[in-house]
Short mmCIF file of all heavy atoms in Angstrom, two decimals:
data_model
loop_
_atom_site.label_atom_id
_atom_site.label_comp_id
_atom_site.label_asym_id
_atom_site.label_seq_id
_atom_site.Cartn_x
_atom_site.Cartn_y
_atom_site.Cartn_z
N SER A 333 75.18 -23.62 8.35
CA SER A 333 74.92 -23.23 6.96
C SER A 333 74.07 -24.26 6.22
O SER A 333 74.19 -24.41 5.01
CB SER A 333 76.24 -23.03 6.23
OG SER A 333 76.83 -21.83 6.66
N GLU A 334 73.23 -24.97 6.92
CA GLU A 334 72.38 -25.96 6.27
C GLU A 334 71.15 -25.32 5.65
O GLU A 334 70.60 -24.37 6.18
CB GLU A 334 71.94 -27.02 7.29
CG GLU A 334 73.08 -27.90 7.76
CD GLU A 334 72.66 -28.89 8.83
OE1 GLU A 334 71.55 -28.74 9.37
OE2 GLU A 334 73.45 -29.78 9.12
N ALA A 335 70.74 -25.87 4.52
CA ALA A 335 69.50 -25.44 3.87
C ALA A 335 68.38 -26.37 4.31
O ALA A 335 68.53 -27.59 4.31
CB ALA A 335 69.66 -25.49 2.36
N ALA A 354 68.28 -30.86 -3.20
CA ALA A 354 68.82 -29.50 -3.09
C ALA A 354 68.78 -28.97 -1.65
O ALA A 354 68.91 -27.77 -1.43
CB ALA A 354 68.05 -28.56 -4.02
N ALA B 347 61.87 -22.64 1.14
CA ALA B 347 63.27 -22.94 1.44
C ALA B 347 63.79 -21.95 2.47
O ALA B 347 63.57 -20.74 2.34
CB ALA B 347 64.11 -22.87 0.18
N ILE B 348 64.49 -22.47 3.47
CA ILE B 348 65.17 -21.61 4.42
C ILE B 348 66.66 -21.74 4.14
O ILE B 348 67.23 -22.83 4.19
CB ILE B 348 64.83 -22.01 5.87
CG1 ILE B 348 63.35 -21.68 6.11
CG2 ILE B 348 65.67 -21.22 6.86
CD1 ILE B 348 62.51 -22.82 6.42
N LEU B 349 67.28 -20.62 3.80
CA LEU B 349 68.66 -20.64 3.34
C LEU B 349 69.49 -19.65 4.15
O LEU B 349 69.13 -18.48 4.27
CB LEU B 349 68.72 -20.24 1.85
CG LEU B 349 67.84 -21.07 0.90
CD1 LEU B 349 67.86 -20.47 -0.50
CD2 LEU B 349 68.31 -22.52 0.87
N PRO B 350 70.60 -20.08 4.71
CA PRO B 350 71.47 -19.15 5.42
C PRO B 350 72.21 -18.24 4.43
O PRO B 350 72.68 -18.70 3.38
CB PRO B 350 72.46 -20.07 6.15
CG PRO B 350 71.86 -21.44 6.07
CD PRO B 350 71.04 -21.47 4.82
N GLY B 351 72.28 -16.97 4.76
CA GLY B 351 72.97 -16.00 3.90
C GLY B 351 74.45 -16.27 3.77
O GLY B 351 75.13 -15.67 2.93
N THR B 352 74.95 -17.18 4.58
CA THR B 352 76.36 -17.57 4.50
C THR B 352 76.67 -18.38 3.23
O THR B 352 77.84 -18.53 2.87
CB THR B 352 76.73 -18.45 5.71
OG1 THR B 352 75.72 -19.46 5.86
CG2 THR B 352 76.78 -17.64 6.98
N MET B 353 75.64 -18.89 2.57
CA MET B 353 75.86 -19.67 1.34
C MET B 353 76.44 -18.80 0.23
O MET B 353 76.12 -17.62 0.14
CB MET B 353 74.52 -20.22 0.84
CG MET B 353 74.03 -21.40 1.63
SD MET B 353 72.44 -21.96 0.93
CE MET B 353 72.43 -23.64 1.56
N GLU B 354 77.20 -19.41 -0.63
CA GLU B 354 77.75 -18.71 -1.80
C GLU B 354 76.61 -18.37 -2.78
O GLU B 354 75.62 -19.09 -2.85
CB GLU B 354 78.74 -19.60 -2.54
CG GLU B 354 79.76 -20.26 -1.66
CD GLU B 354 81.13 -19.65 -1.85
OE1 GLU B 354 81.40 -19.15 -2.96
OE2 GLU B 354 81.91 -19.67 -0.89
N ASN B 355 76.84 -17.34 -3.58
CA ASN B 355 75.80 -16.89 -4.48
C ASN B 355 75.29 -17.96 -5.45
O ASN B 355 74.09 -18.05 -5.70
CB ASN B 355 76.28 -15.69 -5.31
CG ASN B 355 76.05 -14.38 -4.56
OD1 ASN B 355 75.62 -14.39 -3.41
ND2 ASN B 355 76.34 -13.27 -5.22
N ASP B 356 76.19 -18.77 -5.99
CA ASP B 356 75.71 -19.74 -6.98
C ASP B 356 74.86 -20.84 -6.35
O ASP B 356 73.91 -21.32 -6.96
CB ASP B 356 76.87 -20.31 -7.82
CG ASP B 356 77.98 -20.86 -6.94
OD1 ASP B 356 78.01 -20.53 -5.74
OD2 ASP B 356 78.82 -21.62 -7.45
N VAL B 357 75.19 -21.19 -5.11
CA VAL B 357 74.36 -22.16 -4.39
C VAL B 357 73.01 -21.53 -4.07
O VAL B 357 71.95 -22.13 -4.31
CB VAL B 357 75.06 -22.64 -3.09
CG1 VAL B 357 74.21 -23.69 -2.38
CG2 VAL B 357 76.44 -23.18 -3.39
N LEU B 358 73.05 -20.32 -3.55
CA LEU B 358 71.80 -19.61 -3.24
C LEU B 358 70.90 -19.55 -4.46
O LEU B 358 69.71 -19.84 -4.40
CB LEU B 358 72.10 -18.18 -2.77
CG LEU B 358 72.42 -17.99 -1.29
CD1 LEU B 358 72.85 -16.55 -1.04
CD2 LEU B 358 71.22 -18.33 -0.41
N ARG B 359 71.49 -19.18 -5.57
CA ARG B 359 70.72 -19.00 -6.80
C ARG B 359 69.97 -20.29 -7.17
O ARG B 359 68.76 -20.28 -7.41
CB ARG B 359 71.66 -18.59 -7.94
CG ARG B 359 70.97 -18.43 -9.28
CD ARG B 359 72.00 -18.23 -10.39
NE ARG B 359 72.66 -16.93 -10.30
CZ ARG B 359 72.19 -15.82 -10.88
NH1 ARG B 359 71.08 -15.85 -11.58
NH2 ARG B 359 72.85 -14.68 -10.76
N SER B 360 70.67 -21.40 -7.17
CA SER B 360 70.02 -22.64 -7.60
C SER B 360 68.96 -23.08 -6.59
O SER B 360 67.93 -23.63 -6.96
CB SER B 360 71.05 -23.74 -7.84
OG SER B 360 71.63 -24.12 -6.62
N ARG B 361 69.20 -22.79 -5.32
CA ARG B 361 68.21 -23.21 -4.32
C ARG B 361 66.99 -22.30 -4.31
O ARG B 361 65.89 -22.74 -4.03
CB ARG B 361 68.88 -23.27 -2.95
CG ARG B 361 70.10 -24.18 -3.02
CD ARG B 361 70.28 -25.10 -1.91
NE ARG B 361 71.23 -26.14 -2.27
CZ ARG B 361 71.91 -26.86 -1.39
NH1 ARG B 361 71.75 -26.64 -0.11
NH2 ARG B 361 72.72 -27.80 -1.79
N ILE B 362 67.21 -21.04 -4.61
CA ILE B 362 66.07 -20.12 -4.72
C ILE B 362 65.21 -20.53 -5.91
O ILE B 362 63.97 -20.53 -5.84
CB ILE B 362 66.54 -18.66 -4.84
CG1 ILE B 362 67.16 -18.20 -3.51
CG2 ILE B 362 65.40 -17.74 -5.26
CD1 ILE B 362 67.91 -16.88 -3.58
N GLU B 363 65.87 -20.93 -6.99
CA GLU B 363 65.12 -21.33 -8.19
C GLU B 363 64.32 -22.61 -7.97
O GLU B 363 63.39 -22.89 -8.73
CB GLU B 363 66.08 -21.47 -9.39
CG GLU B 363 66.44 -20.10 -9.97
CD GLU B 363 67.60 -20.14 -10.95
OE1 GLU B 363 68.20 -21.22 -11.13
OE2 GLU B 363 67.92 -19.07 -11.51
N ALA B 364 64.69 -23.37 -6.95
CA ALA B 364 63.98 -24.62 -6.66
C ALA B 364 62.89 -24.45 -5.60
O ALA B 364 62.41 -25.42 -5.04
CB ALA B 364 64.96 -25.70 -6.22
N ALA B 365 62.51 -23.21 -5.32
CA ALA B 365 61.50 -22.98 -4.28
C ALA B 365 60.48 -21.95 -4.75
O ALA B 365 60.73 -21.20 -5.69
CB ALA B 365 62.17 -22.50 -2.99
N VAL B 368 61.07 -18.19 -0.19
CA VAL B 368 62.40 -18.36 0.39
C VAL B 368 62.58 -17.42 1.58
O VAL B 368 62.18 -16.25 1.50
CB VAL B 368 63.50 -18.03 -0.65
CG1 VAL B 368 64.89 -18.17 -0.04
CG2 VAL B 368 63.36 -18.91 -1.89
N ALA B 369 63.15 -17.94 2.64
CA ALA B 369 63.58 -17.08 3.74
C ALA B 369 65.10 -17.17 3.81
O ALA B 369 65.65 -18.26 3.94
CB ALA B 369 62.96 -17.55 5.06
N ILE B 370 65.76 -16.02 3.69
CA ILE B 370 67.21 -16.00 3.87
C ILE B 370 67.48 -15.50 5.28
O ILE B 370 67.11 -14.37 5.63
CB ILE B 370 67.92 -15.12 2.82
CG1 ILE B 370 67.58 -15.62 1.40
CG2 ILE B 370 69.43 -15.15 3.04
CD1 ILE B 370 68.30 -14.87 0.30
N ILE B 371 68.12 -16.35 6.07
CA ILE B 371 68.43 -16.00 7.46
C ILE B 371 69.91 -15.66 7.55
O ILE B 371 70.65 -15.79 6.58
CB ILE B 371 68.06 -17.14 8.42
CG1 ILE B 371 68.84 -18.41 8.07
CG2 ILE B 371 66.57 -17.43 8.36
CD1 ILE B 371 68.71 -19.51 9.11
N LYS B 372 70.35 -15.24 8.73
CA LYS B 372 71.75 -14.85 8.94
C LYS B 372 72.18 -13.81 7.90
O LYS B 372 73.17 -14.00 7.19
CB LYS B 372 72.67 -16.08 8.88
CG LYS B 372 72.21 -17.21 9.80
CD LYS B 372 73.26 -18.28 9.98
CE LYS B 372 72.72 -19.37 10.92
NZ LYS B 372 73.70 -20.32 11.37
N VAL B 373 71.45 -12.73 7.82
CA VAL B 373 71.69 -11.70 6.81
C VAL B 373 72.83 -10.78 7.24
O VAL B 373 73.90 -10.78 6.64
CB VAL B 373 70.40 -10.91 6.51
CG1 VAL B 373 70.67 -9.72 5.61
CG2 VAL B 373 69.35 -11.83 5.87
N ARG B 376 75.87 -9.21 5.28
CA ARG B 376 75.82 -9.76 3.91
C ARG B 376 74.72 -9.13 3.08
O ARG B 376 74.53 -9.49 1.92
CB ARG B 376 75.61 -11.28 3.96
CG ARG B 376 76.68 -12.00 4.73
CD ARG B 376 76.39 -13.46 4.94
NE ARG B 376 77.31 -13.99 5.92
CZ ARG B 376 77.04 -14.09 7.22
NH1 ARG B 376 75.85 -13.75 7.69
NH2 ARG B 376 77.95 -14.54 8.05
N ARG B 379 75.41 -7.87 -0.64
CA ARG B 379 75.63 -8.97 -1.58
C ARG B 379 74.32 -9.68 -1.92
O ARG B 379 74.04 -9.99 -3.09
CB ARG B 379 76.62 -9.98 -0.99
CG ARG B 379 76.72 -11.28 -1.79
CD ARG B 379 77.82 -12.22 -1.32
NE ARG B 379 77.65 -12.79 0.01
CZ ARG B 379 76.91 -13.88 0.30
NH1 ARG B 379 76.26 -14.50 -0.65
NH2 ARG B 379 76.84 -14.32 1.53
N LEU B 380 73.51 -9.92 -0.90
CA LEU B 380 72.26 -10.64 -1.11
C LEU B 380 71.29 -9.81 -1.95
O LEU B 380 70.61 -10.31 -2.84
CB LEU B 380 71.64 -11.03 0.23
CG LEU B 380 72.50 -11.98 1.08
CD1 LEU B 380 71.97 -12.08 2.51
CD2 LEU B 380 72.58 -13.37 0.43
N ARG B 381 71.27 -8.53 -1.67
CA ARG B 381 70.38 -7.65 -2.44
C ARG B 381 70.81 -7.60 -3.90
O ARG B 381 69.98 -7.63 -4.81
CB ARG B 381 70.37 -6.25 -1.84
CG ARG B 381 69.53 -5.27 -2.65
CD ARG B 381 69.11 -4.07 -1.85
NE ARG B 381 70.25 -3.50 -1.15
CZ ARG B 381 70.15 -2.66 -0.14
NH1 ARG B 381 68.96 -2.27 0.29
NH2 ARG B 381 71.22 -2.19 0.45
N LEU B 383 72.27 -9.92 -5.52
CA LEU B 383 71.88 -11.20 -6.12
C LEU B 383 70.39 -11.20 -6.47
O LEU B 383 70.00 -11.65 -7.56
CB LEU B 383 72.20 -12.35 -5.15
CG LEU B 383 71.80 -13.75 -5.62
CD1 LEU B 383 72.58 -14.16 -6.87
CD2 LEU B 383 72.00 -14.78 -4.51
N MET B 384 69.57 -10.68 -5.59
CA MET B 384 68.12 -10.62 -5.87
C MET B 384 67.85 -9.75 -7.09
O MET B 384 67.01 -10.07 -7.94
CB MET B 384 67.34 -10.07 -4.67
CG MET B 384 67.33 -10.94 -3.44
SD MET B 384 66.94 -12.67 -3.76
CE MET B 384 68.51 -13.42 -3.32
N MET B 387 68.66 -11.60 -10.15
CA MET B 387 67.69 -12.66 -10.42
C MET B 387 66.31 -12.09 -10.73
O MET B 387 65.36 -12.86 -10.94
CB MET B 387 67.59 -13.61 -9.21
CG MET B 387 68.86 -14.41 -8.95
SD MET B 387 68.66 -15.56 -7.54
CE MET B 387 67.56 -16.81 -8.26
N LEU B 389 64.32 -10.48 -8.72
CA LEU B 389 63.40 -10.75 -7.61
C LEU B 389 63.30 -9.58 -6.63
O LEU B 389 62.68 -9.72 -5.57
CB LEU B 389 63.88 -12.01 -6.85
CG LEU B 389 63.79 -13.33 -7.62
CD1 LEU B 389 64.44 -14.46 -6.82
CD2 LEU B 389 62.33 -13.67 -7.92
N ILE B 422 65.44 -11.94 5.06
CA ILE B 422 64.89 -11.54 3.76
C ILE B 422 63.87 -12.60 3.37
O ILE B 422 64.17 -13.80 3.42
CB ILE B 422 66.00 -11.44 2.69
CG1 ILE B 422 66.98 -10.31 3.03
CG2 ILE B 422 65.40 -11.22 1.30
CD1 ILE B 422 68.23 -10.28 2.14
N ILE B 424 61.37 -13.90 0.27
CA ILE B 424 61.18 -13.76 -1.17
C ILE B 424 60.01 -14.63 -1.61
O ILE B 424 59.96 -15.82 -1.26
CB ILE B 424 62.45 -14.24 -1.92
CG1 ILE B 424 63.68 -13.49 -1.40
CG2 ILE B 424 62.30 -14.07 -3.43
CD1 ILE B 424 64.97 -14.28 -1.53
N ARG B 426 58.46 -15.98 -4.90
CA ARG B 426 58.65 -16.08 -6.35
C ARG B 426 57.32 -16.24 -7.08
O ARG B 426 57.18 -15.79 -8.20
CB ARG B 426 59.58 -17.24 -6.68
CG ARG B 426 60.99 -17.00 -6.16
CD ARG B 426 61.91 -18.14 -6.50
NE ARG B 426 62.13 -18.24 -7.92
CZ ARG B 426 61.84 -19.29 -8.66
NH1 ARG B 426 61.32 -20.37 -8.11
NH2 ARG B 426 62.08 -19.29 -9.95
#
Side-chain angles (χ1 to χ4, degrees):
Chain A
S333 286
E334 291 177 348
Chain B
I348 292 118
L349 305 173
T352 47
M353 284 180 158
E354 312 252 332
N355 273 5
D356 52 344
V357 182
L358 275 173
R359 178 188 290 271
S360 68
R361 305 223 164 158
I362 290 169
E363 282 167 356
V368 178
I370 303 183
I371 60 171
K372 308 193 180 191
V373 172
R376 302 172 192 95
R379 169 173 66 84
L380 297 168
R381 177 160 48 197
L383 178 64
M384 293 312 115
M387 294 182 72
L389 293 173
I422 295 171
I424 305 152
R426 295 180 67 239

